Amino acid sequence: MWNDKVLEIVQRIIEREKIRKRNYDETRFEKGDSQTLHMLKKMMKSGFETEFEISTVQPGESILEIINSMKQIIK
């Protein structure tokens, strides 16, 4: 499951944000920023216990109409 690879996910978000900022000069973050994400990564590496809640948005999709393959990802 994704929660076993939190450091990998954080690093992936950092890399995607760098590309986004370089190409479009805007962020995908609703709360926080890259600096905060780097701080959290450093804390996790030093043993700080974390709990994450991740929200996904797929414009145009209703939770009532998603297909089975989508449901597997969000469980």
Side-chain angles (χ1 to χ4, degrees):
M1 218 52 209
W2 65 267
N3 53 351
D4 296 333
K5 300 178 181 182
V6 175
L7 277 174
E8 290 176 36
I9 292 170
V10 168
Q11 184 59 44
R12 173 93 169 126
I13 294 170
I14 289 169
E15 294 302 320
R16 286 178 54 106
E17 181 66 7
K18 282 182 196 175
I19 294 167
R20 177 72 173 203
K21 292 287 278 184
R22 183 177 60 231
N23 292 340
Y24 301 103
D25 196 33
E26 60 184 44
T27 184
R28 293 177 186 255
F29 293 133
E30 292 291 325
K31 291 184 178 180
D33 55 22
S34 292
Q35 185 177 4
T36 303
L37 198 55
H38 280 284
M39 179 188 64
L40 290 172
K41 180 181 171 189
K42 189 174 182 179
M43 290 169 67
M44 286 186 293
K45 280 185 164 184
S46 67
F48 190 80
E49 195 171 314
T50 58
E51 184 176 314
F52 282 87
E53 182 176 311
I54 297 175
S55 300
T56 59
V57 177
Q58 183 63 46
E61 292 294 332
S62 165
I63 193 70
L64 301 174
E65 298 174 359
I66 62 173
I67 58 177
N68 285 335
S69 60
M70 289 177 165
K71 288 178 186 176
Q72 290 176 343
I73 293 171
I74 61 174
K75 283 187 176 183

Coordinates of all heavy atoms in Angstrom, one line a residue:
M1 N 0.8 -1.2 0.0 CA 0.0 0.0 0.0 C 0.9 1.2 0.0 O 2.0 1.2 0.4 CB -0.9 -0.1 1.3 CG -2.3 0.4 1.2 SD -3.2 -0.3 -0.1 CE -4.3 1.0 -0.3
W2 N 0.3 2.4 -0.4 CA 1.1 3.6 -0.5 C 1.6 4.1 0.8 O 2.7 4.7 0.9 CB 0.3 4.7 -1.1 CG -0.9 5.1 -0.3 CD1 -2.2 4.6 -0.4 CD2 -1.0 6.1 0.7 NE1 -3.0 5.2 0.5 CE2 -2.3 6.2 1.2 CE3 0.0 6.9 1.3 CZ2 -2.7 7.0 2.2 CZ3 -0.4 7.8 2.3 CH2 -1.7 7.8 2.7
N3 N 1.0 3.8 1.9 CA 1.4 4.3 3.2 C 2.7 3.6 3.7 O 3.3 4.1 4.7 CB 0.3 4.2 4.3 CG -0.3 2.9 4.4 OD1 0.0 2.0 3.6 ND2 -1.2 2.7 5.4
D4 N 3.1 2.6 3.0 CA 4.4 1.9 3.4 C 5.6 2.7 2.7 O 6.7 2.4 3.0 CB 4.4 0.5 2.9 CG 3.4 -0.4 3.6 OD1 3.1 0.0 4.8 OD2 3.0 -1.4 3.0
K5 N 5.3 3.6 1.8 CA 6.3 4.3 1.0 C 6.2 5.8 1.1 O 6.3 6.5 0.1 CB 6.2 3.8 -0.4 CG 6.4 2.3 -0.6 CD 6.2 2.0 -2.1 CE 6.4 0.5 -2.2 NZ 6.3 0.0 -3.6
V6 N 6.0 6.3 2.3 CA 5.7 7.7 2.5 C 6.9 8.6 2.0 O 6.7 9.6 1.3 CB 5.3 8.0 4.0 CG1 5.2 9.5 4.2 CG2 4.1 7.3 4.4
L7 N 8.1 8.2 2.4 CA 9.3 9.0 1.9 C 9.3 9.1 0.4 O 9.7 10.1 -0.2 CB 10.6 8.4 2.5 CG 10.9 8.9 3.9 CD1 12.1 8.2 4.4 CD2 11.1 10.4 4.0
E8 N 9.0 7.9 -0.3 CA 9.1 7.9 -1.7 C 8.0 8.9 -2.3 O 8.2 9.6 -3.3 CB 8.8 6.5 -2.3 CG 10.0 5.6 -2.0 CD 9.7 4.2 -2.5 OE1 9.0 4.0 -3.5 OE2 10.1 3.2 -1.8
I9 N 6.8 8.8 -1.7 CA 5.7 9.7 -2.1 C 6.1 11.2 -1.9 O 5.9 12.0 -2.8 CB 4.4 9.4 -1.4 CG1 3.9 8.0 -1.8 CG2 3.4 10.4 -1.6 CD1 2.8 7.4 -1.0
V10 N 6.7 11.5 -0.8 CA 7.1 12.9 -0.5 C 8.1 13.3 -1.5 O 8.0 14.4 -2.1 CB 7.6 13.0 0.9 CG1 8.3 14.4 1.1 CG2 6.5 12.8 1.9
Q11 N 9.1 12.5 -1.8 CA 10.1 12.9 -2.8 C 9.5 13.0 -4.2 O 9.8 14.0 -4.9 CB 11.2 11.8 -2.8 CG 12.4 12.2 -3.8 CD 13.0 13.5 -3.4 OE1 13.3 13.7 -2.2 NE2 13.3 14.3 -4.4
R12 N 8.6 12.2 -4.5 CA 7.9 12.3 -5.8 C 7.1 13.6 -5.9 O 7.1 14.3 -6.9 CB 6.9 11.1 -6.0 CG 6.0 11.2 -7.2 CD 6.7 10.5 -8.4 NE 5.6 10.4 -9.4 CZ 5.9 10.8 -10.6 NH1 7.0 11.3 -11.0 NH2 4.9 10.7 -11.5
I13 N 6.4 14.0 -4.8 CA 5.7 15.3 -4.8 C 6.7 16.5 -5.0 O 6.4 17.4 -5.7 CB 4.9 15.4 -3.5 CG1 3.8 14.4 -3.5 CG2 4.3 16.8 -3.4 CD1 3.0 14.3 -2.2
I14 N 7.8 16.4 -4.3 CA 8.8 17.4 -4.4 C 9.3 17.6 -5.9 O 9.4 18.7 -6.4 CB 10.0 17.1 -3.5 CG1 9.6 17.3 -2.0 CG2 11.2 18.0 -3.8 CD1 10.6 16.8 -1.0
E15 N 9.6 16.5 -6.5 CA 10.1 16.5 -7.9 C 9.0 17.0 -8.8 O 9.3 17.8 -9.7 CB 10.5 15.1 -8.3 CG 11.7 14.6 -7.6 CD 13.0 15.5 -7.8 OE1 13.2 16.0 -8.9 OE2 13.7 15.7 -6.8
R16 N 7.8 16.6 -8.6 CA 6.7 17.1 -9.5 C 6.5 18.6 -9.3 O 6.2 19.3 -10.3 CB 5.4 16.3 -9.2 CG 5.4 14.9 -9.8 CD 4.2 14.1 -9.4 NE 3.0 14.9 -9.8 CZ 2.2 14.5 -10.9 NH1 2.5 13.5 -11.6 NH2 1.2 15.2 -11.2
E17 N 6.6 19.0 -8.1 CA 6.4 20.5 -7.8 C 7.5 21.3 -8.5 O 7.3 22.4 -9.0 CB 6.4 20.7 -6.3 CG 6.2 22.2 -5.9 CD 4.8 22.7 -6.3 OE1 3.9 22.0 -6.8 OE2 4.7 24.0 -6.1
K18 N 8.8 20.8 -8.5 CA 9.9 21.5 -9.2 C 9.6 21.7 -10.6 O 9.8 22.7 -11.2 CB 11.2 20.7 -9.0 CG 11.9 20.8 -7.7 CD 13.1 20.0 -7.7 CE 13.7 19.8 -6.4 NZ 14.9 18.9 -6.5
I19 N 9.1 20.6 -11.3 CA 8.8 20.6 -12.7 C 7.6 21.6 -13.0 O 7.7 22.4 -13.9 CB 8.4 19.2 -13.2 CG1 9.7 18.3 -13.2 CG2 7.9 19.2 -14.6 CD1 9.4 16.8 -13.3
R20 N 6.6 21.5 -12.1 CA 5.5 22.4 -12.3 C 5.9 23.9 -12.2 O 5.5 24.7 -13.0 CB 4.4 22.1 -11.2 CG 3.2 22.9 -11.2 CD 2.3 22.6 -12.3 NE 1.1 23.4 -12.2 CZ 0.0 23.1 -12.8 NH1 -0.1 22.0 -13.5 NH2 -1.1 23.8 -12.6
K21 N 6.7 24.2 -11.2 CA 7.1 25.6 -11.0 C 8.0 26.0 -12.2 O 7.8 27.2 -12.6 CB 7.9 25.7 -9.7 CG 7.1 25.6 -8.4 CD 6.2 26.7 -8.2 CE 7.0 27.8 -7.5 NZ 6.2 29.0 -7.1
R22 N 8.9 25.2 -12.7 CA 9.7 25.5 -13.8 C 8.9 25.7 -15.1 O 9.2 26.7 -15.8 CB 10.8 24.4 -14.0 CG 11.8 24.7 -15.1 CD 12.8 23.7 -15.2 NE 12.2 22.4 -15.6 CZ 12.5 21.2 -14.9 NH1 13.3 21.2 -13.9 NH2 11.9 20.1 -15.3
N23 N 8.0 24.9 -15.3 CA 7.2 24.9 -16.6 C 6.1 26.0 -16.6 O 5.8 26.5 -17.6 CB 6.7 23.6 -16.9 CG 7.7 22.6 -17.3 OD1 8.9 23.0 -17.7 ND2 7.4 21.3 -17.2
Y24 N 5.4 26.1 -15.4 CA 4.2 27.0 -15.4 C 4.3 28.1 -14.4 O 3.4 28.9 -14.3 CB 3.0 26.1 -15.1 CG 2.8 25.0 -16.1 CD1 3.1 23.7 -15.8 CD2 2.2 25.3 -17.3 CE1 2.9 22.7 -16.7 CE2 2.1 24.3 -18.3 CZ 2.4 23.0 -18.0 OH 2.2 22.0 -18.9
D25 N 5.4 28.2 -13.6 CA 5.5 29.2 -12.5 C 4.3 29.3 -11.6 O 3.9 30.4 -11.2 CB 5.8 30.6 -13.2 CG 6.4 31.6 -12.2 OD1 7.1 31.1 -11.3 OD2 6.0 32.8 -12.3
E26 N 3.7 28.1 -11.3 CA 2.7 28.1 -10.3 C 2.8 26.8 -9.5 O 3.4 25.8 -9.9 CB 1.3 28.2 -10.9 CG 1.0 27.2 -12.0 CD -0.4 27.5 -12.7 OE1 -0.6 28.6 -13.0 OE2 -1.1 26.5 -12.8
T27 N 2.1 26.7 -8.4 CA 2.1 25.5 -7.5 C 0.9 24.7 -7.6 O -0.2 25.2 -8.0 CB 2.4 26.0 -6.1 OG1 2.6 24.8 -5.3 CG2 1.3 26.8 -5.5
R28 N 1.0 23.5 -7.2 CA -0.2 22.6 -7.1 C -0.7 22.6 -5.6 O -1.7 22.0 -5.3 CB 0.1 21.2 -7.5 CG 0.4 21.0 -8.9 CD 0.8 19.6 -9.2 NE 1.2 19.4 -10.6 CZ 0.5 18.9 -11.5 NH1 -0.7 18.4 -11.2 NH2 1.0 18.7 -12.7
F29 N 0.1 23.1 -4.7 CA -0.2 23.1 -3.3 C -1.4 23.9 -2.9 O -1.5 25.1 -3.3 CB 0.9 23.5 -2.4 CG 2.1 22.6 -2.4 CD1 3.4 23.1 -2.6 CD2 1.9 21.2 -2.3 CE1 4.5 22.2 -2.6 CE2 3.0 20.4 -2.3 CZ 4.3 20.9 -2.5
E30 N -2.4 23.4 -2.2 CA -3.5 24.2 -1.6 C -3.1 24.7 -0.2 O -3.5 25.8 0.1 CB -4.7 23.3 -1.5 CG -5.3 22.9 -2.8 CD -6.0 24.0 -3.5 OE1 -6.6 24.9 -2.9 OE2 -5.9 24.0 -4.8
K31 N -2.3 23.9 0.5 CA -1.8 24.3 1.8 C -0.3 24.0 1.9 O 0.1 22.9 1.3 CB -2.5 23.5 2.9 CG -3.9 23.9 3.1 CD -4.5 23.1 4.3 CE -5.9 23.5 4.6 NZ -6.5 22.8 5.7
G32 N 0.5 24.8 2.5 CA 1.9 24.6 2.6 C 2.7 24.9 1.3 O 2.1 25.5 0.4
D33 N 3.9 24.5 1.3 CA 4.8 24.8 0.2 C 5.9 23.8 0.1 O 6.0 22.9 1.0 CB 5.3 26.2 0.2 CG 6.0 26.5 1.5 OD1 6.5 25.6 2.2 OD2 6.1 27.7 1.9
S34 N 6.8 23.9 -0.8 CA 7.9 23.0 -1.0 C 8.8 23.0 0.3 O 9.3 22.0 0.7 CB 8.8 23.4 -2.2 OG 8.1 23.1 -3.4
Q35 N 9.0 24.2 0.8 CA 9.9 24.3 2.0 C 9.3 23.4 3.2 O 10.0 22.7 3.8 CB 10.0 25.7 2.4 CG 11.0 25.9 3.6 CD 11.2 27.4 3.9 OE1 10.5 28.3 3.3 NE2 12.0 27.7 4.8
T36 N 8.0 23.5 3.4 CA 7.4 22.7 4.4 C 7.5 21.2 4.1 O 7.8 20.4 5.0 CB 5.9 23.1 4.5 OG1 5.8 24.5 4.7 CG2 5.2 22.3 5.6
L37 N 7.4 20.8 2.8 CA 7.5 19.4 2.5 C 8.9 18.9 2.7 O 9.1 17.8 3.2 CB 7.1 19.3 1.0 CG 6.8 17.9 0.5 CD1 5.7 17.2 1.3 CD2 6.4 17.9 -0.9
H38 N 9.9 19.7 2.4 CA 11.3 19.4 2.7 C 11.5 19.2 4.2 O 12.2 18.3 4.6 CB 12.3 20.4 2.1 CG 12.5 20.3 0.7 ND1 13.3 19.3 0.1 CD2 12.1 21.0 -0.4 CE1 13.4 19.4 -1.2 NE2 12.6 20.4 -1.5
M39 N 10.9 20.1 5.0 CA 11.0 20.0 6.4 C 10.4 18.6 6.9 O 11.0 17.9 7.8 CB 10.4 21.1 7.1 CG 10.4 21.1 8.6 SD 9.4 22.4 9.4 CE 7.8 22.0 8.9
L40 N 9.2 18.3 6.4 CA 8.6 17.1 6.8 C 9.4 15.9 6.4 O 9.5 14.9 7.2 CB 7.2 17.0 6.2 CG 6.1 18.0 6.7 CD1 4.9 17.9 5.9 CD2 5.8 17.7 8.2
K41 N 10.0 15.9 5.2 CA 10.8 14.8 4.8 C 12.0 14.6 5.7 O 12.3 13.5 6.1 CB 11.3 15.1 3.4 CG 12.2 14.0 2.8 CD 12.7 14.3 1.4 CE 13.7 13.4 1.0 NZ 14.3 13.8 -0.3
K42 N 12.6 15.7 6.1 CA 13.8 15.6 7.0 C 13.3 15.1 8.4 O 14.0 14.2 9.0 CB 14.3 17.0 7.2 CG 15.6 17.1 7.9 CD 16.2 18.5 7.9 CE 17.5 18.6 8.6 NZ 18.1 19.9 8.5
M43 N 12.2 15.5 8.9 CA 11.7 15.0 10.2 C 11.4 13.5 10.1 O 11.7 12.7 11.0 CB 10.4 15.7 10.5 CG 10.6 17.2 10.9 SD 9.1 18.2 11.1 CE 8.4 17.4 12.5
M44 N 10.8 13.0 9.0 CA 10.5 11.6 8.8 C 11.8 10.8 8.8 O 11.9 9.7 9.4 CB 9.7 11.3 7.5 CG 8.3 11.8 7.7 SD 7.3 11.3 6.3 CE 7.9 12.3 5.0
K45 N 12.8 11.3 8.1 CA 14.1 10.6 8.0 C 14.7 10.4 9.4 O 15.4 9.5 9.6 CB 15.0 11.3 7.1 CG 14.8 11.0 5.6 CD 15.8 11.7 4.8 CE 15.8 11.1 3.4 NZ 16.9 11.7 2.6
S46 N 14.5 11.4 10.3 CA 15.1 11.4 11.6 C 14.3 10.6 12.6 O 14.6 10.5 13.8 CB 15.4 12.8 12.1 OG 14.2 13.4 12.3
G47 N 13.2 10.0 12.1 CA 12.4 9.1 13.0 C 11.1 9.7 13.5 O 10.4 9.0 14.3
F48 N 10.8 10.9 13.1 CA 9.5 11.5 13.5 C 8.3 10.7 13.0 O 8.3 10.4 11.9 CB 9.5 13.0 13.0 CG 8.4 13.8 13.6 CD1 8.5 14.4 14.8 CD2 7.2 14.0 12.9 CE1 7.5 15.2 15.4 CE2 6.2 14.8 13.4 CZ 6.3 15.4 14.6
E49 N 7.4 10.4 13.9 CA 6.2 9.6 13.5 C 5.2 10.5 12.8 O 5.0 11.6 13.2 CB 5.6 9.0 14.8 CG 4.6 7.9 14.5 CD 4.2 7.2 15.7 OE1 5.0 6.9 16.6 OE2 2.9 7.0 15.8
T50 N 4.7 10.0 11.7 CA 3.8 10.8 10.9 C 2.5 10.1 10.6 O 2.4 8.8 10.7 CB 4.5 11.1 9.5 OG1 4.8 9.9 8.9 CG2 5.7 11.9 9.6
E51 N 1.5 10.8 10.3 CA 0.2 10.3 9.9 C -0.2 11.3 8.8 O -0.3 12.5 8.9 CB -0.8 10.3 11.0 CG -2.1 9.7 10.6 CD -3.1 9.7 11.8 OE1 -2.6 9.2 12.9 OE2 -4.2 10.1 11.6
F52 N -0.5 10.7 7.6 CA -0.9 11.5 6.4 C -2.3 11.3 6.0 O -2.9 10.2 6.2 CB 0.0 11.1 5.2 CG 1.3 11.7 5.3 CD1 2.4 11.0 5.9 CD2 1.6 12.9 4.7 CE1 3.6 11.6 6.0 CE2 2.9 13.4 4.7 CZ 3.9 12.8 5.4
E53 N -2.9 12.3 5.5 CA -4.2 12.2 4.9 C -4.1 12.9 3.5 O -3.6 14.0 3.4 CB -5.3 13.0 5.7 CG -6.6 12.9 5.1 CD -7.7 13.6 6.0 OE1 -7.7 13.3 7.2 OE2 -8.4 14.4 5.4
I54 N -4.3 12.1 2.5 CA -4.1 12.6 1.1 C -5.5 12.6 0.4 O -6.3 11.7 0.5 CB -3.2 11.7 0.3 CG1 -1.8 11.7 1.0 CG2 -3.1 12.1 -1.1 CD1 -0.8 10.8 0.3
S55 N -5.8 13.7 -0.2 CA -7.0 13.9 -0.9 C -6.7 13.9 -2.4 O -5.8 14.6 -2.8 CB -7.7 15.2 -0.6 OG -8.0 15.2 0.8
T56 N -7.5 13.2 -3.2 CA -7.4 13.2 -4.6 C -8.6 13.8 -5.3 O -9.7 13.7 -4.7 CB -7.2 11.8 -5.2 OG1 -8.3 11.0 -4.8 CG2 -5.9 11.1 -4.6
V57 N -8.4 14.5 -6.4 CA -9.4 15.1 -7.1 C -9.3 14.7 -8.6 O -8.3 14.8 -9.1 CB -9.3 16.7 -7.0 CG1 -10.4 17.4 -7.8 CG2 -9.4 17.1 -5.5
Q58 N -10.4 14.3 -9.1 CA -10.5 14.0 -10.5 C -11.6 14.8 -11.1 O -12.8 14.4 -11.0 CB -10.7 12.5 -10.7 CG -10.7 12.1 -12.2 CD -9.4 12.4 -12.9 OE1 -8.3 12.1 -12.4 NE2 -9.4 13.0 -14.0
P59 N -11.4 15.9 -11.7 CA -12.4 16.8 -12.2 C -13.4 16.0 -13.1 O -12.9 15.2 -14.0 CB -11.7 17.9 -12.9 CG -10.4 17.9 -12.3 CD -10.1 16.5 -11.9
G60 N -14.6 16.2 -13.0 CA -15.6 15.5 -13.9 C -16.0 14.2 -13.4 O -16.9 13.6 -14.0
E61 N -15.5 13.6 -12.3 CA -15.8 12.3 -11.9 C -16.7 12.4 -10.6 O -16.3 13.2 -9.7 CB -14.6 11.5 -11.6 CG -13.8 11.0 -12.8 CD -14.6 10.1 -13.7 OE1 -15.5 9.3 -13.2 OE2 -14.3 10.1 -14.9
S62 N -17.7 11.6 -10.5 CA -18.5 11.6 -9.3 C -18.1 10.3 -8.5 O -17.9 9.3 -9.1 CB -20.0 11.5 -9.7 OG -20.7 11.1 -8.5
I63 N -18.0 10.4 -7.2 CA -17.7 9.3 -6.3 C -18.7 8.2 -6.5 O -18.4 7.0 -6.4 CB -17.6 9.7 -4.8 CG1 -16.9 8.6 -4.0 CG2 -18.9 10.1 -4.3 CD1 -15.5 8.4 -4.2
L64 N -19.9 8.5 -6.9 CA -20.9 7.5 -7.2 C -20.8 6.8 -8.5 O -21.3 5.7 -8.7 CB -22.3 8.1 -7.1 CG -22.7 8.8 -5.8 CD1 -24.0 9.5 -5.9 CD2 -22.7 7.8 -4.6
E65 N -20.0 7.3 -9.4 CA -19.8 6.8 -10.7 C -18.4 6.2 -11.1 O -18.2 5.9 -12.2 CB -20.2 7.8 -11.8 CG -21.7 8.3 -11.6 CD -22.0 9.4 -12.5 OE1 -21.1 9.9 -13.3 OE2 -23.1 9.9 -12.5
I66 N -17.6 6.2 -10.1 CA -16.2 5.7 -10.4 C -16.2 4.2 -10.7 O -17.0 3.4 -10.2 CB -15.2 6.0 -9.3 CG1 -15.5 5.4 -8.0 CG2 -15.1 7.5 -9.1 CD1 -14.5 5.6 -6.9
I67 N -15.2 3.8 -11.5 CA -15.1 2.4 -11.9 C -14.3 1.6 -10.9 O -13.5 2.2 -10.1 CB -14.6 2.3 -13.4 CG1 -13.2 2.9 -13.5 CG2 -15.5 2.9 -14.3 CD1 -12.5 2.8 -14.8
N68 N -14.3 0.3 -11.0 CA -13.6 -0.5 -10.0 C -12.1 -0.3 -9.9 O -11.5 -0.3 -8.9 CB -13.9 -2.0 -10.3 CG -15.3 -2.4 -9.9 OD1 -15.9 -1.8 -9.0 ND2 -15.8 -3.5 -10.5
S69 N -11.5 -0.1 -11.1 CA -10.0 0.2 -11.1 C -9.7 1.5 -10.3 O -8.7 1.5 -9.6 CB -9.4 0.2 -12.5 OG -10.0 1.3 -13.2
M70 N -10.5 2.5 -10.4 CA -10.3 3.7 -9.6 C -10.5 3.4 -8.1 O -9.8 3.9 -7.3 CB -11.3 4.8 -10.0 CG -11.0 5.4 -11.4 SD -12.4 6.5 -11.7 CE -11.6 7.4 -13.1
K71 N -11.5 2.6 -7.8 CA -11.8 2.3 -6.4 C -10.6 1.6 -5.7 O -10.3 1.8 -4.6 CB -13.0 1.4 -6.2 CG -14.3 2.1 -6.5 CD -15.5 1.2 -6.4 CE -16.8 1.9 -6.9 NZ -17.9 0.9 -6.9
Q72 N -9.9 0.8 -6.5 CA -8.7 0.0 -5.9 C -7.6 1.0 -5.5 O -6.9 0.8 -4.5 CB -8.2 -0.9 -7.0 CG -9.1 -2.1 -7.2 CD -8.6 -3.0 -8.3 OE1 -7.7 -2.7 -9.1 NE2 -9.1 -4.3 -8.3
I73 N -7.5 2.1 -6.3 CA -6.4 3.1 -6.0 C -6.7 3.9 -4.7 O -5.9 4.2 -3.9 CB -6.2 4.0 -7.2 CG1 -5.7 3.2 -8.3 CG2 -5.3 5.2 -6.8 CD1 -5.6 4.0 -9.6
I74 N -8.0 4.2 -4.5 CA -8.4 5.1 -3.4 C -8.7 4.4 -2.1 O -9.1 5.0 -1.2 CB -9.5 6.1 -3.8 CG1 -10.8 5.3 -4.2 CG2 -9.0 7.0 -4.9 CD1 -11.9 6.2 -4.5
K75 N -8.7 3.1 -2.1 CA -9.0 2.3 -0.8 C -7.9 2.5 0.2 O -6.8 2.7 0.0 CB -9.2 0.9 -1.1 CG -10.5 0.6 -1.7 CD -10.7 -0.9 -1.9 CE -12.1 -1.2 -2.4 NZ -12.4 -2.6 -2.5

